[in-house]
Amino acid sequence: MRKIHQAIPVFVCLTILGLVSCRPVEQTQASTAVTQQNQITNKLFPVKSNGKYGYIDQTGKVVITAQFDEAFDFSEGMAKVKIGGKFGYIDNTGKTVVSPQFEDADDFSEGLAGIMTDGKMGFIDNTGQMIISPQFDDAENFSEGMAEVKVGDKWGYVNKVGEIVVSPQFEDSHNFLQGLAAVQIGSKWGYIDKTGNFVWNPTE
């Protein structure tokens, strides 16, 4: 589920960013503009009508009729919807791909989505197949092949086959970005790599 993070010290962020190579600004801006335009062109928007939710396109045309108790934005061609207290997923034609059966659910990211069953979080693929069985107290979306998972009151990281790569030991954590992730130990924040080694030791 989506976490609300404490702020990371700015000077740590600036220092770490200096260690990470970046692509030319012009290339990044151009590719971002194309991606954003494609997203706008193909985007569907959840709307409420007569107590139910459906989807319209950017012209306001109804594409998926209102039939859901709750509806959310699309990610990777799938949107989570709620019917009768359970969450499932539809494609952009409104076809049910994963029937509503979960207590809670997250968006798809890198081909997987976090779902909750019997109070535990696991991950399914876009066919609804359970890839990582529900076993975590909480979990976040995958980023760069790793996902934050919570066991008890500590956060760690798993890979896409459910192997714990970084054991749960942190009070809080962020997802990986360009090979690094911010983690909190006590009141201090630092950065780890994908093996769990600190590249910047925790500091106030």
Side-chain angles (χ1 to χ4, degrees):
M1 302 298 103
R2 189 63 55 197
K3 293 189 290 185
I4 299 176
H5 297 285
Q6 298 180 31
I8 307 172
V10 173
F11 71 90
V12 175
C13 297
L14 293 176
T15 304
I16 294 300
L17 287 174
L19 300 177
V20 181
S21 62
C22 298
R23 290 176 294 174
V25 173
E26 294 81 0
Q27 178 184 350
T28 302
Q29 291 175 338
S31 60
T32 299
V34 171
T35 300
Q36 289 176 339
Q37 183 58 47
N38 289 338
Q39 289 174 340
I40 292 171
T41 301
N42 300 319
K43 187 172 178 61
L44 297 180
F45 303 85
V47 292
K48 190 174 185 179
S49 176
N50 297 322
K52 296 291 184 179
Y53 286 87
Y55 291 85
I56 60 172
D57 64 17
Q58 70 273 15
T59 70
K61 177 184 176 182
V62 174
V63 178
I64 301 172
T65 58
Q67 57 192 286
F68 311 109
D69 296 324
E70 290 186 51
F72 299 82
D73 287 336
F74 277 84
S75 62
E76 299 187 356
M78 304 270 278
K80 64 176 179 178
V81 294
K82 188 177 184 180
I83 297 178
K86 298 292 185 179
F87 289 89
Y89 295 88
I90 61 171
D91 64 19
N92 56 15
T93 69
K95 177 184 176 182
T96 298
V97 180
V98 182
S99 62
Q101 59 191 284
F102 305 114
E103 296 162 15
D104 208 344
D106 280 331
D107 293 338
F108 274 88
S109 176
E110 299 187 356
L112 299 177
I115 52 83
M116 179 177 284
T117 299
D118 294 329
K120 296 292 184 179
M121 293 290 297
F123 291 86
I124 61 171
D125 66 14
N126 57 14
T127 69
Q129 180 179 352
M130 192 71 69
I131 303 301
I132 303 174
S133 62
Q135 58 192 282
F136 308 111
D137 295 308
D138 205 348
E140 295 294 317
N141 289 342
F142 272 90
S143 175
E144 299 187 0
M146 304 270 276
E148 305 160 68
V149 294
K150 190 177 186 181
V151 178
D153 61 353
K154 301 293 184 181
W155 289 89
Y157 295 85
V158 297
N159 61 21
K160 287 190 171 182
V161 295
E163 297 171 333
I164 294 179
V165 180
V166 182
S167 61
Q169 58 192 284
F170 309 114
E171 275 69 42
D172 200 356
S173 60
H174 287 250
N175 59 13
F176 275 90
L177 179 63
Q178 297 187 69
L180 300 179
V183 295
Q184 182 183 10
I185 294 182
S187 62
K188 299 180 179 180
W189 284 88
Y191 279 84
I192 60 170
D193 62 20
K194 290 186 177 180
T195 68
N197 291 322
F198 277 98
V199 299
W200 183 272
N201 290 324
T203 184
E204 295 288 358

